[in-house]
Amino acid sequence: MRRRVDLWLLGAALAASFASGVAGLWVSERHAGLVVWGHDAAGLAVIALAWPKLGVIRRGLRRRWPHVGGSLAAAACVVGLLGFGVAHSAGVHDVGPLTALGWHIAFALGLAPLVVQHLTTRPVRLRRGDLTRAAFLRLAAFTGAGVVAKLAFDRTLGAGRAATGSLEQARPAPTVWFEDSTPPIDPGAWRVDVGGRRLGPADLARLPQQEWTCTLDCTSGWYARNRWRGVRLVDLPLALPPGTGSVEVRSATGYARRFDLASLPGLMLATHLDGVSLDPGNGAPVRLVASGRRGFWWVKWVTSVQPSARPPWWQSPFPL
Ligand code: HEM
Ligand SMILES: Nc1nc2c(c(=O)[nH]1)N[C@H]1C(S)=C(S)[C@@H](COP(=O)(O)O)O[C@H]1N2
Ligand SMILES: [Mo]
């Protein structure tokens, strides 16, 4: 009975960790705190709940190929997932080609299909008699253990980090989403199509300039607070025809994000970072600054800003 209940608790903690992990990347910095805190507590509870499964995995490893493949992959994913999660939160930035948090997410995505497959081939059914007072006490105990572990971790090994869990950097590290890359750039010939009007860097320089100090918080686990200079979207010669549902900002690479009209005052077409013209890696000659939004909204190498009849939710939640 206890074994079945603990497997269910492990499944629930994994599901809660996965959901809160994804949600924590989506919500803005202002709302991330509680989600990420809960994620960490649930994730640390997974360590306690997964511990007894190590014996099961060891037995699985004694089985023959190809059965051993699934056990090996699951064990590797669990160890990688938990190891890199804790390493990131303890302050580890980059590990080879990815950030520690990037590895953490990669292992989570690797584990998910294995868990789903395991659950469909060998479902664990709770019986009516299993939901006893003792079962709820175990739920309470593991929840408490996760919360206590989180409090203890942040007072000891835990690195100073933003509410999103991101670690501080002095400057935004050039970052692209999957297979995007810095396009060839001729700043003199560069034009941004603003609602049909083609503006070059010199045209932008003639519009009112603003300087904002704001935070770029990348979902790969770092943030940087810097001064950005450029032109606010609301100061562009951009007419919004009746029926406009959103504004789409598009990159030379095809990467694009769609914004609701209420968020326009928080958007800027930036040309300078900390007083210096942008580097190619950071989006030269023109990139979007989306204050209060996670890094993946900060479209680099902007070539087009267009009003659109589509609603702002007409896009993939994360860029693909
Ligand atoms: C699938 C199950 C998952 C488990 C068991 C898990 C577990 C953990 C653990 C143990 C930590 C370290 C917490 C600490 O030491 O304070 C952590 C941190 C983190 N995880 Fe996960 N995680 C999972 C999935 C995910 C996913 C899918 C994402 C995002 C897509 C994610 C995002 C994060 C973030 C942003 C942190 C850093 C939080 C901070 O530094 O406070 N996790 N996770
Ligand atoms: N065109 C384009 N813009 C992009 C991306 C991309 O892959 N392509 N990545 C986004 C992500 S995920 C982040 S965190 C920021 C990083 O900005 P930086 O390279 O100046 O640090 O750019 C955003 N803008
Ligand atoms: Mo990012």
Side-chain angles (χ1 to χ4, degrees), residues 172-178 180 216-219 222 228 251-253 255 281-283 287 295-301:
T175 299
V176 285
W177 189 268
F178 295 121
D180 220 352
L216 200 183
D217 189 324
C218 175
T219 49
W222 56 265
W228 297 91
S251 167
T253 65
Y255 184 99
N282 292 118
R287 73 94 51 85
F296 65 86
W297 295 94
W298 296 44
V299 181
K300 299 194 281 191
W301 315 295

Side-chain angles (χ1 to χ4, degrees), residues 122-234:
R122 305 182 56 194
V124 180
R125 292 196 207 293
L126 274 188
R127 302 182 189 156
R128 201 177 302 145
D130 288 346
L131 292 178
T132 57
R133 214 170 87 95
F136 286 101
L137 284 177
R138 291 189 77 68
L139 169 63
F142 280 108
T143 307
V147 168
V148 168
K150 168 67 178 158
L151 291 170
F153 182 86
D154 279 344
R155 274 157 190 70
T156 52
L157 282 176
R161 53 206 198 281
T164 55
S166 292
L167 302 165
E168 185 169 15
Q169 283 185 354
R171 284 175 58 82
T175 299
V176 285
W177 189 268
F178 295 121
E179 59 281 330
D180 220 352
S181 62
T182 305
I185 288 156
D186 174 359
W190 194 272
R191 294 290 179 274
V192 185
D193 185 323
V194 176
R197 216 183 291 217
R198 290 162 58 75
L199 306 178
D203 303 310
L204 287 177
R206 275 192 292 271
L207 291 167
Q209 304 290 306
Q210 299 276 335
E211 194 157 70
W212 290 347
T213 298
C214 55
T215 303
L216 200 183
D217 189 324
C218 175
T219 49
S220 67
W222 56 265
Y223 74 91
R225 200 165 166 75
N226 302 85
R227 278 184 303 126
W228 297 91
R229 178 147 70 83
V231 181
R232 294 188 305 168
L233 254 64
V234 292

Side-chain angles (χ1 to χ4, degrees), residues 13-25 36-37 39-47 78 81-90 101 104-109 111-112 149-150 153-154 158-159 161-167 219 221 294 318:
L14 274 173
S17 302
F18 196 90
S20 58
V22 173
L25 301 187
V36 173
W37 207 96
H39 175 78
D40 290 358
L44 292 167
V46 166
I47 297 180
V78 170
L81 169 69
L82 297 171
F84 280 113
V86 171
H88 162 81
S89 297
L101 186 65
H104 176 67
I105 296 172
F107 279 112
L109 295 177
L111 182 65
K150 168 67 178 158
F153 182 86
D154 279 344
R161 53 206 198 281
T164 55
S166 292
L167 302 165
T219 49
R294 299 301 290 270
F318 295 105

